[in-house]
Amino acid sequence: MLKITDLKAQFEDTPILQGVNLTVNPGETHVLLGPNGSGKSTLGRVILGDPKYDQTAGEITFNDEDFTELEPSERAQAGYFLTFQSPPELDGVSVKDFLFAAKKAHDEAFSSSFKFKKGLSSTLETLRLPGEFIDREANKGFSGGERKKIEVASLLTLQPQLAFLDEIDSGIDIDTIREIGKVIREFLSDTSKSIILVTHSDKLLKEIEPTHVHIFGKGVIAESGGPELIEKVQNEGFDKYFAKPTSSLNVIQ
């Protein structure tokens, strides 16, 4: 589904991604673990084509299509979805209208506003959000946790092929983390879909079963493996991976 080869990118004049290699196949769950500021969020934004970042080298292909020349909206319509650590406020645009417009952009044949509102109301209830949120301005006056819940609601609404979930569990109570875990499991029950998850907490990882775990830092993937890497990091931390020069890191797809 997604293939990233020797991806390098920078913000203004500051290099961030230093040669990322990653392959994601349908039905897989990839977890990115690493210290703050290591480039994990940048990776998600560069895949989307965020114009604030310059892709200076490498390739990104999605379903064998070259993403490099596509606009962010085109990448989204191709099936890529990105959550934000700090989702922006949308003045004058309700949650319902925002998500309905996004759904229509992905599926022009979709027209049932009544069915859409009913489904969205059920989703918000699952995420422990009051029904009034459906008509509130998107993210305006929302807490950090409430904004993350709306991101999850967006995921369920748009049903992308590949979702990059950037710290979707931060600021969320334990009961809602369990609900998000359930949502992710249901999302992945469709084996044509995949997820890349960035997290600093093991609580959500206990709710899902990652197929791949990557140690990410200094703009590269230092090591890849299975769920056993989660316990290894919890016991040993990240320092051992990034104590030596980037050029000597063992980068594994």
Side-chain angles (χ1 to χ4, degrees):
M1 181 188 296
L2 175 73
K3 186 172 183 179
I4 298 173
T5 306
D6 195 29
L7 180 63
K8 298 181 181 179
Q10 63 186 33
F11 176 75
E12 296 180 344
D13 294 326
T14 303
I16 301 177
L17 302 182
Q18 304 279 5
V20 176
N21 294 280
L22 179 66
T23 299
V24 179
N25 296 305
E28 294 180 346
T29 302
H30 290 248
V31 174
L32 301 182
L33 302 176
N36 291 325
S38 58
K40 301 183 299 297
S41 297
T42 295
L43 176 61
R45 287 175 174 268
V46 171
I47 297 172
L48 181 65
D50 187 330
K52 293 181 181 179
Y53 297 86
D54 293 322
Q55 180 181 332
T56 57
E59 297 180 347
I60 304 172
T61 59
F62 186 77
N63 290 329
D64 296 323
E65 182 177 17
D66 184 1
F67 254 16
T68 306
E69 300 301 325
L70 297 185
E71 294 296 321
S73 60
E74 294 173 312
R75 301 185 194 203
Q77 290 184 348
Y80 177 70
F81 175 89
L82 172 70
T83 64
F84 293 91
Q85 286 191 23
S86 300
E89 295 181 358
L90 300 178
D91 290 338
V93 181
S94 71
V95 169
K96 172 173 60 67
D97 290 344
F98 166 59
L99 292 181
F100 185 75
K103 182 71 173 179
K104 282 282 291 180
H106 282 74
D107 181 5
E108 293 182 359
F110 186 84
S111 60
S112 176
S113 58
F114 174 78
K115 181 179 179 181
F116 175 82
K117 184 175 181 179
K118 184 177 180 181
L120 181 57
S121 295
S122 176
T123 296
L124 297 184
E125 182 180 352
T126 297
L127 295 171
R128 300 171 179 266
L129 283 173
E132 65 185 39
F133 270 71
I134 197 170
D135 293 313
R136 287 181 59 179
E137 293 174 284
N139 295 322
K140 192 167 185 178
F142 291 11
S143 69
E146 288 167 345
R147 293 186 184 208
K148 294 303 179 72
K149 293 178 183 181
I150 295 300
E151 294 286 272
V152 176
S154 301
L155 170 69
L156 294 180
T157 298
L158 299 178
Q159 289 294 315
Q161 280 189 283
L162 174 62
F164 191 108
L165 306 182
D166 192 358
E167 296 190 31
I168 197 69
D169 51 339
S170 66
I172 299 290
D173 61 78
I174 187 61
D175 290 320
T176 305
I177 285 178
R178 292 193 182 102
E179 294 295 344
I180 291 175
K182 181 180 178 182
V183 165
I184 290 176
R185 292 195 301 271
E186 291 176 350
F187 177 81
L188 290 170
S189 66
D190 181 343
T191 56
S192 69
K193 300 180 183 296
S194 299
I195 279 179
I196 300 173
L197 174 68
V198 176
T199 184
H200 289 290
S201 169
D202 65 346
K203 293 183 176 64
L204 183 56
L205 296 178
K206 292 178 180 178
E207 299 296 323
I208 62 175
E209 296 181 3
T211 57
H212 299 72
V213 178
H214 309 280
I215 309 302
F216 198 105
K218 293 188 176 182
V220 298
I221 293 176
E223 184 174 341
S224 297
E228 72 280 353
L229 276 184
I230 298 172
E231 184 176 357
K232 185 177 180 180
V233 167
Q234 290 173 338
N235 293 333
E236 301 177 5
F238 296 116
D239 287 349
K240 62 172 290 186
Y241 294 100
F242 308 112
K244 47 190 176 181
T246 300
S247 60
S248 64
L249 292 173
N250 180 27
V251 179
I252 306 175
Q253 283 193 18

